[in-house]
Amino acid sequence: MSVLQKLILRNGPNSSYPLVTAIDMIFAGIDTTGNTLGFLMYHLATNPDKQEKLQKECQSLGESLSVKSLNELRYLKACIQESNRLTPTIALNARLIAEDMILHGYQIPKNTLVTWSPMLFSEQFKDSEKFIPERWVENKKSFCPHAVRQFSHGPRMCIGKRFAELEMLIVVHKLMTNFEVKWVNEESLTISQVLLNVPDQSLKFQFKDLNI
């Protein structure tokens, strides 16, 4: 029995939850992890000092990762979060408020459509246009915890969150353990929006094998 079938049985045929979940799954399946990885590789390639710092962390854990060592990839997690802040694959989240509520001091009536985007929080970050992963290690308590929520939050959080996070950690660890990455395009990366945020040009990287 599929996930959608279980949702229909649990919530009833007239419930909107199965439909909303199906829409979320379609969005989540449109190269979201691939685009996120491409954006991150760009930021690392154009910030060699950050890449070197990440390489040292990844190499210190060796080729094989365990559950324990995954938890030790703190700087890699910060790099992913910073990349999501600068170039989010999901540019906007929207929710229809089911009941009257107060959010951060604002009275929001029932049936109001509320939208959220990490691009709205740039004023909270010093040197917001720069790729500085350290801000998520040293100063993350100084800004709103919801400033970057690539997978949304709460009961409607992305159902593939854990899988996507593990995939990113494993792939980037493998790359940073074995390669130095350089950006070889003449122009800086820019993005366009086609349902999701995507690179608007080919991603041309040069990989130097660190084991030679």
Side-chain angles (χ1 to χ4, degrees):
M1 183 180 293
S2 70
V3 173
L4 289 178
Q5 287 174 317
K6 289 180 180 179
L7 283 173
I8 292 171
L9 286 174
R10 181 184 300 172
N11 297 286
N14 297 320
S15 172
S16 63
Y17 283 106
L19 174 62
V20 171
T21 301
I23 293 172
D24 284 349
M25 291 174 71
I26 291 171
F27 269 89
I30 307 177
D31 295 329
T32 47
T33 305
N35 288 328
T36 301
L37 179 61
F39 289 139
L40 175 57
M41 287 296 99
Y42 168 76
H43 291 302
L44 291 172
T46 54
N47 293 273
D49 56 325
K50 310 301 183 185
Q51 182 178 166
E52 182 180 2
K53 185 174 180 179
L54 179 58
Q55 284 171 338
K56 290 179 179 177
E57 178 183 78
C58 291
Q59 291 168 353
S60 70
L61 297 176
E63 286 280 352
S64 299
L65 290 175
S66 64
V67 174
K68 180 180 178 181
S69 56
L70 280 171
N71 292 329
E72 294 175 3
L73 289 169
R74 297 180 182 87
Y75 192 68
L76 173 50
K77 293 177 182 178
C79 288
I80 293 172
Q81 188 77 336
E82 182 69 349
S83 179
N84 285 336
R85 183 186 69 82
L86 285 168
T87 46
T89 302
I90 305 295
L92 187 72
N93 271 308
R95 295 289 184 266
L96 187 66
I97 303 302
E99 57 186 31
D100 294 342
M101 65 179 298
I102 297 176
L103 181 64
H104 288 281
Y106 293 92
Q107 179 71 43
I108 302 177
K110 179 181 178 180
N111 294 326
T112 298
L113 183 66
V114 176
T115 58
W116 164 94
S117 171
M119 296 178 177
L120 300 174
F121 289 85
S122 59
E123 71 279 359
Q124 292 197 28
F125 301 93
K126 183 179 180 181
D127 298 321
S128 61
E129 74 287 353
K130 295 181 180 180
F131 181 73
I132 308 176
E134 287 78 7
R135 71 172 92 243
W136 298 101
V137 178
E138 301 165 358
N139 304 310
K140 64 180 181 179
K141 291 184 178 180
S142 64
F143 38 78
C144 177
H146 300 291
V148 178
R149 289 285 184 181
Q150 189 68 2
F151 298 95
S152 192
H153 187 66
R156 287 285 315 285
M157 180 174 62
C158 174
I159 59 175
K161 177 178 184 290
R162 185 56 178 162
F163 180 81
E165 288 177 336
L166 287 173
E167 191 174 15
M168 287 289 294
L169 291 173
I170 292 170
V171 170
V172 178
H173 169 266
K174 192 72 172 179
L175 287 171
M176 290 294 101
T177 300
N178 295 284
F179 299 98
E180 177 186 347
V181 185
K182 293 185 179 180
W183 176 250
V184 295
N185 283 25
E186 294 182 359
E187 300 179 353
S188 298
L189 177 67
T190 52
I191 60 178
S192 59
Q193 193 172 60
V194 186
L195 290 180
L196 307 173
N197 282 340
V198 299
D200 66 353
Q201 58 185 279
S202 297
L203 299 177
K204 296 181 180 180
F205 297 107
Q206 182 182 80
F207 291 85
K208 178 183 176 182
D209 194 332
L210 297 176
N211 299 312
I212 296 178

